[in-house]
Amino acid sequence: MTTAPKLPPAPTQAPTTGDDSAEPPGAIRLRLDALGVDFRADDFPTRFIDFCVANDDYEMEVNEAGELVILPMVGFRGNRHETEMATELNIWRRVNGGISASRTSRFRLPTGAIRGPDAAWIPQERYDTATDEEKETVIVGAPDFVVEIRSISDNLRPLQRKMQIWMDGGARLGWLIDPRSRRVYVYRNGQPEPEILENPETLDGEDILPGFSFDVRQYIFDLQ
């Protein structure tokens, strides 16, 4: 079970650029401190969600440098990929328990960043110990299982950086699915480098999601 860590003292961190960035091309980034906003404040997740609701035409995150990130659209096919992944995960969850999450969910990492996965899952006991405010807004800590799917607007390097951010934040198992190369990068807690699978037919949830098998070839690679 992943515990939700409290935020450490704020580090001095410059905005990420180039290969260090986890943001997709076309993302808009705004420095929150320039607006007098402390993204590490205790009440920031609630204020952030209120802001997202008031501006629901846009998908937003907050990165590790304290920038509000307005994300580009993933496109219709990218949305289908995410929907298929979230659907299969939710079917498994109904039988095996826990809480699954989709792209509109947000998690607050130890750096203070608020990130959204394409799909994710946490154990039931972890959800039960979350505060009512977390359940209504942002769950503290990375999901135990997390998925990112490369869309038409994504470059691979930023997605790899984002997956590493998830793992550094406490995720135990992660899949980075790249439909363009028909390749999957499998990230595991304590494993320095991801395992690379070339054109796999299925993906295994291992000991994090026992019995979960996702037909990545059918639902993503071969999806017309």
Side-chain angles (χ1 to χ4, degrees):
M1 172 179 162
T2 301
T3 58
K6 293 184 178 180
L7 300 183
T12 300
Q13 183 172 0
T16 53
T17 58
D19 289 345
D20 290 333
S21 174
E23 322 317 338
I28 297 172
R29 300 191 293 183
L30 304 173
R31 289 294 302 269
L32 290 173
D33 59 356
L35 301 174
V37 177
D38 180 6
F39 80 110
R40 298 174 64 84
D42 291 341
D43 65 344
F44 179 76
T46 299
R47 295 162 59 198
F48 172 72
I49 293 299
D50 288 344
F51 182 78
C52 291
V53 170
N55 297 274
D56 61 359
D57 287 340
Y58 304 95
E59 184 178 352
M60 291 175 279
E61 296 181 353
V62 175
N63 68 17
E64 293 67 32
E67 296 172 325
L68 178 70
V69 181
I70 303 174
L71 300 168
M73 294 182 65
V74 300
F76 195 82
R77 180 172 292 181
N79 182 262
R80 291 184 66 198
H81 290 161
E82 294 168 4
T83 299
E84 294 291 352
M85 179 72 244
T87 297
E88 293 299 301
L89 180 59
N90 197 47
I91 290 172
W92 178 89
R93 189 273 312 167
R94 288 178 177 175
V95 175
N96 296 275
I99 302 296
S100 57
S102 63
R103 187 177 182 87
T104 56
S105 302
R106 294 291 180 267
F107 294 82
R108 195 180 202 192
L109 301 176
T111 58
I114 297 178
R115 293 286 190 177
D118 289 335
W121 175 89
I122 62 174
Q124 185 67 48
E125 59 268 25
R126 181 176 164 194
Y127 182 79
D128 290 343
T129 59
T131 66
D132 288 341
E133 182 177 359
E134 286 180 63
K135 293 174 183 177
E136 292 292 336
T137 58
V138 176
I139 294 292
V140 175
D144 292 63
F145 170 67
V146 62
V147 181
E148 296 288 350
I149 305 172
R150 187 181 183 187
S151 72
I152 193 171
S153 64
D154 287 321
N155 288 336
L156 183 59
R157 288 293 296 274
L159 269 184
Q160 291 173 321
R161 170 63 179 154
K162 187 174 183 181
M163 283 300 306
Q164 193 58 56
I165 288 170
W166 284 123
M167 301 309 295
D168 291 344
R172 296 191 288 160
L173 176 66
W175 297 343
L176 169 51
I177 302 174
D178 184 358
R180 299 190 208 175
S181 66
R182 302 178 72 92
R183 183 177 293 158
V184 178
Y185 301 81
V186 180
Y187 292 74
R188 300 180 181 92
N189 182 262
Q191 180 177 293
E193 298 293 334
E195 178 184 6
I196 301 175
L197 305 179
E198 301 287 352
N199 194 27
E201 181 174 352
T202 61
L203 300 176
D204 184 0
E206 303 179 9
D207 59 340
I208 309 301
L209 306 172
F212 180 53
S213 179
F214 178 63
D215 194 335
V216 65
R217 191 177 298 175
Q218 176 182 352
Y219 291 122
I220 294 186
F221 294 161
D222 293 340
L223 188 70
Q224 299 300 314

